Amino acid sequence: MGAHHNYSVTVSWPDPATVYDAPVGTTSYTAYPREHQVVLPGKLPLPGSADPAFRGDPARYSPEELFVASLAQCHMLWFLHLAAERGLVVREYTDDTTGTMRVETRGEGQFTDVTLRPRVTADPGAAATDESLDELHRRAHALCFIARSVNFPVIVEPAPMRLSDPAV
């Protein structure tokens, strides 16, 4: 059996950092604030809210956004790990990730897909080939803890590798 890693998070509602005129509680669906705080040990609080479609504050992070971001982060971190092992010197990595969530008429919903669109800039060299790029993305996807934990397609559509300017 492999190693186990445990994660702790505290979610507090209403957000203790926000001042409310009168705490009304959940007296109705429209009455209560969606603002809350996500706290991880030793880190700054993360201001959370519902998605704006569900009466949330668009200036705060929604769980749906963070979920999509976690898939992109996990893939990127595995890609960088594998690139370092392969000898591919990555100078820049950007991913414009999108996710689609379907909400049913009764209110329940689920993600139907997430698409990663990574763009990599790397130093020229033997490992800087399109074949190598494709293989690294395939392996990163296969190893990503988050992607392995979801029940919908996570699609990886990498852009062709850009080579960095060796004169810089």
Side-chain angles (χ1 to χ4, degrees), residues 102-109:
R102 180 180 64 231
V103 178
E104 308 295 339
T105 55
R106 294 184 311 205
E108 73 276 7

Side-chain angles (χ1 to χ4, degrees), residues 8-60:
S8 299
V9 62
T10 300
V11 177
S12 299
W13 175 87
D15 183 346
T18 304
V19 177
Y20 299 102
D21 292 336
V24 296
T26 56
T27 56
S28 76
Y29 178 75
T30 59
Y32 66 94
R34 274 39 177 194
E35 292 77 17
H36 57 275
Q37 196 173 81
V38 180
V39 179
L40 290 86
K43 297 182 177 148
L44 294 173
L46 183 66
S49 187
D51 184 279
F54 307 111
R55 306 185 62 80
D57 181 345
R60 289 174 169 245

Side-chain angles (χ1 to χ4, degrees), residues 7-165:
Y7 302 91
S8 299
V9 62
T10 300
V11 177
S12 299
W13 175 87
D15 183 346
T18 304
V19 177
Y20 299 102
D21 292 336
V24 296
T26 56
T27 56
S28 76
Y29 178 75
T30 59
Y32 66 94
R34 274 39 177 194
E35 292 77 17
H36 57 275
Q37 196 173 81
V38 180
V39 179
L40 290 86
K43 297 182 177 148
L44 294 173
L46 183 66
S49 187
D51 184 279
F54 307 111
R55 306 185 62 80
D57 181 345
R60 289 174 169 245
Y61 300 100
S62 75
E64 296 85 1
E65 292 168 321
L66 294 173
F67 181 67
V68 171
S70 71
L71 282 160
Q73 286 178 276
C74 186
H75 183 91
M76 177 195 68
L77 292 168
W78 269 113
F79 180 90
L80 296 174
H81 172 112
L82 295 168
E85 284 182 343
R86 171 71 56 88
L88 177 66
V89 179
V90 175
R91 297 294 177 178
E92 190 176 312
Y93 182 108
T94 305
D95 190 341
D96 295 317
T97 301
T98 58
T100 303
M101 185 179 75
R102 180 180 64 231
V103 178
E104 308 295 339
T105 55
R106 294 184 311 205
E108 73 276 7
Q110 62 279 330
F111 274 84
T112 59
D113 61 83
V114 167
T115 301
L116 309 176
R117 293 180 186 85
R119 294 185 314 277
V120 175
T121 301
D123 285 357
T129 66
D130 290 333
E131 295 80 24
S132 177
L133 178 75
D134 290 342
E135 180 187 341
L136 290 172
H137 279 299
R138 276 194 305 277
R139 293 222 349 106
H141 179 68
L143 292 167
C144 173
F145 309 133
I146 309 298
R148 292 173 51 87
S149 301
V150 301
N151 64 353
F152 56 82
V154 177
I155 302 156
V156 182
E157 297 178 347
M161 187 181 318
R162 294 175 293 185
L163 298 178
S164 60
D165 183 358

